[in-house]
């Protein structure tokens, strides 16, 4: 339960700061209006850093179902599949709450913004060119890079109680020092691979805020683009599975 609560708060912080920088750049009458892509990618990198630092010692700071699935797939003895549903539920709820906080924080600027597409962009991703197979590939490849890096420098960070045993430190995610490294990876992915789909690379980062957009009474909002919503959910999961396979292959070369 402690780990799930940490995943909830960490993902809420991630989305609050990540979607917050998008709102600051694209909504009208903000101090950061027009800041551009570099500001958004840097803001998302710092958002990841903040979420990881706040929760690394409590949950391993996955904050992303792709990372959680990868950890369980890579070594279920260290991170059991039974933990995955709780982590995923906490992450989704955290992302939803983070999006609600962004809307409350920038409420006056949502009211002042006429462009409905820009309002949606502060909640979830969308393709620059809609080509669903290619969009899926872009999300999968970006997530592969992220998860491969996370697996490479994940370290023992917190104990999980196991029935009949003492608490044992397990390899489940990023320690606090890993926050800097994963933030740099996310920054790099955004700069190099983010231009096609907006680099969700995290199913709940997209799905939770998209649900919030659908439910919130935003003035003159457009639809929530549910026709695209499956891409940033299943693309990252596919990328995570591919990353685990590649990681295991690379490790086999050193034996």
């Amino acid at each position: 339960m402690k780990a799930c609560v940490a995943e909830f708060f960490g993902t809420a912080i991630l989305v609050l700061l990540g979607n917050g920088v998008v709102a600051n750049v694209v909504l009208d009458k903000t101090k950061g209006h027009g800041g551009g892509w570099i500001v958004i990618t840097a803001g998302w990198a710092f958002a990841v850093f903040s979420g990881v630092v706040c929760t690394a010692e409590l949950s391993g700071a996955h904050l992303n179902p792709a990372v959680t699935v990868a950890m369980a797939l890579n070594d279920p003895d260290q991170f059991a599949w039974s933990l995955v549903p709780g982590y995923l539920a906490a992450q989704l709820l955290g992302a939803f709450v983070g999006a609600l906080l962004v809307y409350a924080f920038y409420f006056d600027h949502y009211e002042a913004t006429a462009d409905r597409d820009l309002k949606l962009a502060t909640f979830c991703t969308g393709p620059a060119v809609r080509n669903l197979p290619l969009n899926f590939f872009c999300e999968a490849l970006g997530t592969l890079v992220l998860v491969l890096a996370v697996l490479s420098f994940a370290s023992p960070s917190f104990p999980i109680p196991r029935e009949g045993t003492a608490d044992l430190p397990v390899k489940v995610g990023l320690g606090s020092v890993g926050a800097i490294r994963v933030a740099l990876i996310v920054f790099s992915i955004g700069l190099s691979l983010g231009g096609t789909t907006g680099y969700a690379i995290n199913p709940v980062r997209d799905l939770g805020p998209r649900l919030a957009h659908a439910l919130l009474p935003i003035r003159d909002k457009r639809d929530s683009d549910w026709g695209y919503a499956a891409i940033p959910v299943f693309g990252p999961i596919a990328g995570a599975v591919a990353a685990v396979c590649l990681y295991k292959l690379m490790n086999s070369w050193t034996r």
Side-chain angles (χ1 to χ4, degrees):
M1 180 60 70
K2 179 177 68 175
C4 289
V5 171
E7 286 293 302
F8 165 78
F9 281 111
T11 310
I13 291 169
L14 170 71
V15 171
L16 170 63
L17 298 180
N19 281 3
V21 72
V22 179
N24 191 25
V25 168
V26 306
L27 295 180
D28 289 340
K29 298 184 179 180
T30 67
K31 298 289 187 179
H33 181 72
W37 189 246
I38 299 296
V39 173
I40 289 175
T41 53
W44 266 106
F46 297 144
V48 170
F49 174 81
S50 301
V52 171
V53 164
C54 290
T55 60
E57 304 306 319
L58 297 172
S59 70
H62 294 188
L63 316 184
N64 183 341
V67 173
T68 299
V69 169
M71 291 296 175
L73 187 62
N74 182 56
D75 192 346
D77 290 331
Q78 296 290 342
F79 187 82
W81 280 104
S82 61
L83 297 170
V84 171
Y87 266 56
L88 267 55
Q91 291 160 0
L92 180 60
L93 184 58
F96 180 83
V97 170
L100 296 182
L101 292 174
V102 172
Y103 176 68
F105 193 92
Y106 282 101
F107 177 80
D108 288 339
H109 301 278
Y110 281 101
E111 294 288 298
T113 301
D115 191 320
R116 300 189 299 166
D117 291 336
L118 292 180
K119 292 179 182 180
L120 178 62
T122 67
F123 287 88
C124 54
T125 63
V129 176
R130 188 172 292 255
N131 179 344
L132 297 185
L134 185 57
N135 301 151
F136 182 93
F137 169 76
C138 293
E139 284 294 331
L141 183 58
T143 309
L144 183 152
V145 174
L146 171 66
V147 172
L148 186 61
V150 168
L151 289 172
S152 297
F153 46 67
S155 58
S157 55
F158 78 105
I160 290 181
R162 299 181 183 179
E163 187 175 354
T165 67
D167 290 357
L168 299 174
V170 294
K171 188 175 182 179
V172 292
L174 298 167
S176 295
V177 175
I180 298 173
R181 293 180 289 181
V182 75
L184 290 175
I185 295 295
V186 171
F187 191 28
S188 178
I189 293 170
L191 291 175
S192 301
L193 305 177
T196 56
T197 62
Y199 75 117
I201 58 174
N202 181 338
V204 299
R205 167 267 176 274
D206 193 274
L207 181 58
R210 197 181 297 270
L211 286 168
H213 178 271
L215 296 173
L216 282 168
I218 304 168
R219 176 181 292 184
D220 193 30
K221 70 177 179 181
R222 57 158 290 177
D223 67 275
S224 300
D225 196 11
W226 290 106
Y228 180 74
I231 299 299
V233 171
F234 294 107
I237 296 299
V241 172
V244 172
C245 294
L246 181 57
Y247 179 73
K248 287 180 175 291
L249 176 63
M250 293 168 63
N251 280 350
S252 71
W253 296 341
T254 63
R255 293 173 185 171

